[in-house]
Amino acid sequence: MTVNNTIAHQRLILTGDRERFKELLRRRLIECGWRDQVRMLCRDAVKETEGNNVTLDTLVTRVTPRARALVPDTVKKELLQKIKTHLLTQKEH
Amino acid sequence: MNDMNGCIHLNNFKAAKGVNPYKVVHAFFVACTSQEARMYKATACLCFVCSQPGPRLHSCLHCIYFGCYEGHMQEHSKTKKHFLYIDLNHGNVFCAQCQDYIYDQELADIATRNRLKGAKSLGLSAPFMSWVPNANEAAALRRLRKRRMISPNTTIGLRGLQNLGSTCFMNCIVQTLIHTPLLRDYFLGERHKCKPSGAGKCLVCEVSKLFQEFYSGAKTPLTLHRLLHLIWTHARHLAGYEQQDAHEFFIATLDVLHRHCMNGLEDVEKKENGRCNCIIDQIFTGGLQSDVVCTCCSGVSTTIDPFWDISLDVAGPGSLQACLERFTRAEHLGSGAKIKCSNCRAYRESTKQLTLETLPIVASFHLKRFEHSEQIDRKISTFVSFPAELDMTPFMSSHRRAVDTADNNNGPEGVFEDNRYSLFAVVNHLGSLDAGHYTAYVRQMKGSWFKCDDHMITRADLAEVLDSEGYLLFYHKTVLEYECDV
């Protein structure tokens, strides 16, 4: 992370806006059915695993690439645009 | 993976140190329950080795140490023999001896409480929590074995209504109320518990019974004589056998329901900052802001009034959005309508602007298609299009203010506010002023529309609904926000 990035990151946490953006993203992912799709991916991954020993790490490694690819472009675009506008309109202190 | 009772290592830790270490770390660095916590999280949450805020930063549960999951947390754990650490994104506890995240009911409850506190401190909606039956409800579910499955083609909740002689105005409003999602949830949840004195006289009880009838599975049309009688008794201006205006009936019904809500055992004295907290007001009431600006001193006088619906002028073909735009446009009052400016202490010309200060959960629009003047009474059948999905943001007071002051209209509030609404009912008036008939389109489930014409219920599609003339339009908030006491 560069210095500017770190400052932006800290600001987002401090103002609570990071939490707000996270909540917005969470909503969009639920609305478009992404969460349900990922849930199904996880179930499949657990079923395919031999034996009983599924850890979160194995699940994350298996599911993440496909889950990322499933995020609709519209959601990515909306978030990107909103975060960008938001950061650019923040008044300098 | 394990059950909800943690692992032996976590249990030993809890026995020795209690849950406080988890509670504190979670409150400060996971959920951020206060501004102070956010300050600490923003400045201190960095890996002790690589000084980065991630990926997947964890905090040691035994001592003060932050480390990323790329290896630095694991190193610390190994060298110090501190085997438990918390994921700072999600608040889960990792046990290095079990090599996995651990479920623990007690910690999960703490996490939920902290998350609610965090949301509250930012003015965010509380997260949705699905219904968990309490002991009584679980017992009832075990006792009552009969289940009704909801399939895509179900006709549950649909029932025709007999016309009692020009009572189609009542039928279409009842169909609309029955298919108002939050009202349905309230009544099917049997939330209205009436005082004994209300028996037989309470309209809320009558509507409660009606919901049971609509969802009983029976298909024969219902007769609403008791409901009609109750409304005649409590809204005298509607008594009589002639056709009434559906809009007037709608408002009168809400008014009687709102008054009778006070019959409820639990509904007494539930006023919050001057606003009634009954189910009718919770669902239907919004706040209309009126700003009167003096043209001389630019002084603004603002008032906010509650509203149950918005009546819109129909001036030439257009759209609902155009009508709303006109409704919220600043209007010059002219020299004939001077208003006393409290600042200038004189009667001045002024401009007046109406905007929506708060939005109701159900937004009801009344297109003024009936014109009554001294010369003639006439019906305006001009086409006004209305959308299935409506964003109310442009008509909000906060948005208008931001636009007017040439501030960016994408201010922080605007980005996170969700003011989207979905159409769920349309009441239509067919025919002329003196020989008319009312029908209603209702959304029974998502994407499933029906036309209610007194005792006849027929399947309809959205295109047909959007193509209809439209007299009363009902929209429901698409995403609900929740409140919670912590």
Side-chain angles (χ1 to χ4, degrees), chain B residues 441 447-451 458-467:
Chain B
Y441 286 107
S448 181
W449 285 85
F450 287 87
K451 183 181 181 177
T458 46
R459 196 173 271 281
D461 60 14
L462 181 62
E464 181 186 338
V465 177
L466 296 182
D467 224 30

Side-chain angles (χ1 to χ4, degrees), chain A:
Chain A
M1 268 194 178
T2 63
V3 175
N4 274 337
N5 268 345
T6 315
I7 292 172
H9 176 81
Q10 288 183 340
R11 266 200 70 94
L12 280 175
I13 293 177
L14 197 61
T15 54
D17 287 337
R18 191 173 189 277
E19 210 44 50
R20 293 194 177 93
F21 277 119
K22 232 165 100 178
E23 186 52 33
L24 182 70
L25 176 63
R26 203 198 320 270
R27 276 190 188 182
R28 292 294 183 267
L29 290 176
I30 294 171
E31 279 170 35
C32 71
W34 181 86
R35 191 176 62 168
D36 295 329
Q37 283 175 298
V38 172
R39 190 172 284 156
M40 289 313 287
L41 284 181
C42 293
R43 287 175 69 153
D44 291 344
V46 172
K47 273 191 213 156
E48 282 164 24
T49 316
E50 308 259 321
N52 259 333
N53 212 9
V54 190
T55 64
L56 185 95
D57 282 348
T58 54
L59 210 53
V60 167
T61 347
R62 280 229 198 143
V63 174
T64 304
R66 276 190 287 171
R68 271 185 196 278
L70 281 173
V71 178
D73 280 347
T74 47
V75 174
K76 289 190 210 167
K77 254 187 219 154
E78 185 191 344
L79 258 293
L80 185 67
Q81 189 257 325
K82 283 191 169 161
I83 294 172
K84 215 167 166 179
T85 332
H86 180 64
L87 288 177
L88 289 175
T89 52
Q90 288 285 298
K91 296 198 178 73
E92 297 296 324
H93 287 287

Side-chain angles (χ1 to χ4, degrees), chain B residues 96-288:
Chain B
Q97 278 161 304
C98 300
Q99 272 303 304
D100 202 2
Y101 288 92
I102 303 302
Y103 288 113
D104 181 273
Q105 192 58 57
E106 198 182 358
L107 299 190
D109 292 341
I110 292 171
T112 308
R113 278 184 63 84
N114 280 348
R115 246 179 255 124
L116 287 173
K117 274 190 205 162
K120 202 173 187 181
S121 83
L122 288 175
L124 286 171
S125 157
F128 169 76
M129 274 179 267
S130 48
W131 175 66
V132 181
N134 63 30
N136 277 342
E137 289 157 344
L141 280 170
R142 274 192 297 276
R143 201 170 58 244
L144 305 163
R145 307 299 306 177
K146 201 176 156 198
R147 300 279 185 273
R148 199 166 289 144
M149 294 294 287
I150 310 276
S151 66
N153 288 319
T154 180
T155 54
I156 194 163
L158 293 168
R159 251 182 122 166
L161 297 170
Q162 292 291 5
N163 193 321
L164 306 170
S166 307
T167 56
C168 48
F169 66 91
M170 167 176 70
N171 290 351
C172 64
I173 295 303
V174 167
Q175 293 286 7
T176 299
L177 293 177
I178 293 284
H179 291 95
T180 301
L182 270 192
L183 210 54
R184 174 201 62 204
D185 294 351
Y186 176 83
F187 281 110
L188 290 184
E190 297 188 320
R191 297 288 290 277
H192 175 70
K193 295 189 179 64
C194 213
K195 283 182 204 137
S197 59
K201 287 181 270 174
C202 174
L203 187 63
V204 190
C205 291
E206 187 57 31
V207 172
S208 194
K209 275 184 219 144
L210 256 182
F211 268 96
Q212 294 297 332
E213 295 279 8
F214 268 84
Y215 282 85
S216 69
K219 294 214 159 74
T220 48
L222 289 163
T223 311
L224 302 179
H225 57 274
R226 273 204 313 272
L227 182 101
L228 187 63
H229 181 75
L230 273 171
I231 292 179
W232 279 0
T233 318
H234 296 286
R236 293 237 169 245
H237 62 289
L238 290 176
Y241 285 98
E242 63 272 27
Q243 173 79 285
Q244 300 284 348
D245 179 51
H247 172 247
E248 210 177 313
F249 183 82
F250 170 64
I251 296 299
T253 306
L254 289 191
D255 182 53
V256 178
L257 282 171
H258 153 77
R259 282 189 275 136
H260 286 192
C261 273
M262 292 307 128
N263 295 338
L265 285 172
E266 292 153 19
D267 290 285
V268 265
E269 293 297 317
K270 271 210 304 197
K271 284 208 168 182
E272 266 174 32
N273 30 9
R275 263 195 190 171
C276 174
N277 203 15
C278 78
I279 188 66
I280 296 299
D281 279 304
Q282 279 192 51
I283 296 179
F284 294 96
T285 302
L288 186 64

Side-chain angles (χ1 to χ4, degrees), chain B residues 357-376:
Chain B
E357 199 255 340
T358 45
L359 295 170
I361 292 172
V362 167
S364 324
F365 301 109
H366 163 223
L367 299 178
K368 290 200 244 172
R369 293 193 176 278
F370 300 115
E371 197 177 59
H372 303 285
S373 66
E374 277 177 31
Q375 293 84 32
I376 52 161

Side-chain angles (χ1 to χ4, degrees), chain B residues 208-457:
Chain B
S208 194
K209 275 184 219 144
L210 256 182
F211 268 96
Q212 294 297 332
E213 295 279 8
F214 268 84
Y215 282 85
S216 69
K219 294 214 159 74
T220 48
L222 289 163
T223 311
L224 302 179
H225 57 274
R226 273 204 313 272
L227 182 101
L228 187 63
H229 181 75
L230 273 171
I231 292 179
W232 279 0
T233 318
H234 296 286
R236 293 237 169 245
H237 62 289
L238 290 176
Y241 285 98
E242 63 272 27
Q243 173 79 285
Q244 300 284 348
D245 179 51
H247 172 247
E248 210 177 313
F249 183 82
F250 170 64
I251 296 299
T253 306
L254 289 191
D255 182 53
V256 178
L257 282 171
H258 153 77
R259 282 189 275 136
H260 286 192
C261 273
M262 292 307 128
N263 295 338
L265 285 172
E266 292 153 19
D267 290 285
V268 265
E269 293 297 317
K270 271 210 304 197
K271 284 208 168 182
E272 266 174 32
N273 30 9
R275 263 195 190 171
C276 174
N277 203 15
C278 78
I279 188 66
I280 296 299
D281 279 304
Q282 279 192 51
I283 296 179
F284 294 96
T285 302
L288 186 64
Q289 179 168 332
S290 157
D291 292 304
V292 175
V293 183
C294 170
T295 46
C296 262
C297 68
S298 300
V300 190
S301 135
T302 301
T303 51
I304 293 163
D305 292 304
F307 69 91
W308 274 338
D309 73 332
I310 295 170
S311 290
L312 298 164
D313 286 315
V314 181
S319 63
L320 175 64
Q321 291 96 320
C323 290
L324 280 165
E325 206 279 323
R326 247 193 334 266
F327 180 78
T328 53
R329 197 183 287 166
E331 176 197 3
H332 192 77
L333 292 177
S335 54
K338 288 188 179 174
I339 288 176
K340 191 168 185 186
C341 170
S342 58
N343 209 17
C344 305
R345 293 170 192 282
Y347 284 87
R348 300 285 194 203
E349 284 190 25
S350 46
T351 59
K352 183 181 173 184
Q353 183 171 30
L354 298 174
T355 46
L356 303 174
E357 199 255 340
T358 45
L359 295 170
I361 292 172
V362 167
S364 324
F365 301 109
H366 163 223
L367 299 178
K368 290 200 244 172
R369 293 193 176 278
F370 300 115
E371 197 177 59
H372 303 285
S373 66
E374 277 177 31
Q375 293 84 32
I376 52 161
D377 288 346
R378 67 181 185 119
K379 182 184 170 186
I380 310 165
S381 294
T382 312
F383 181 76
V384 175
S385 69
F386 47 90
E389 307 291 332
L390 173 68
D391 188 351
M392 294 288 284
T393 310
F395 318 112
M396 301 281 295
S397 311
S398 52
H399 182 85
R400 278 289 153 116
R401 203 162 40 234
V403 174
D404 291 346
T405 54
D407 224 348
N408 67 87
N409 53 24
N410 245 332
E413 303 155 53
V415 173
F416 303 107
E417 259 179 24
D418 194 334
N419 300 314
R420 291 172 300 160
Y421 282 74
S422 310
L423 187 70
F424 75 92
V426 176
V427 169
N428 279 302
H429 180 267
L430 317 166
S432 64
L433 249 184
D434 27 59
H437 180 55
Y438 284 108
T439 62
Y441 286 107
V442 294
R443 187 185 67 180
Q444 174 231 17
M445 290 202 298
K446 198 176 183 213
S448 181
W449 285 85
F450 287 87
K451 183 181 181 177
C452 307
D453 184 348
D454 288 333
H455 60 281
M456 300 264 293
I457 308 283

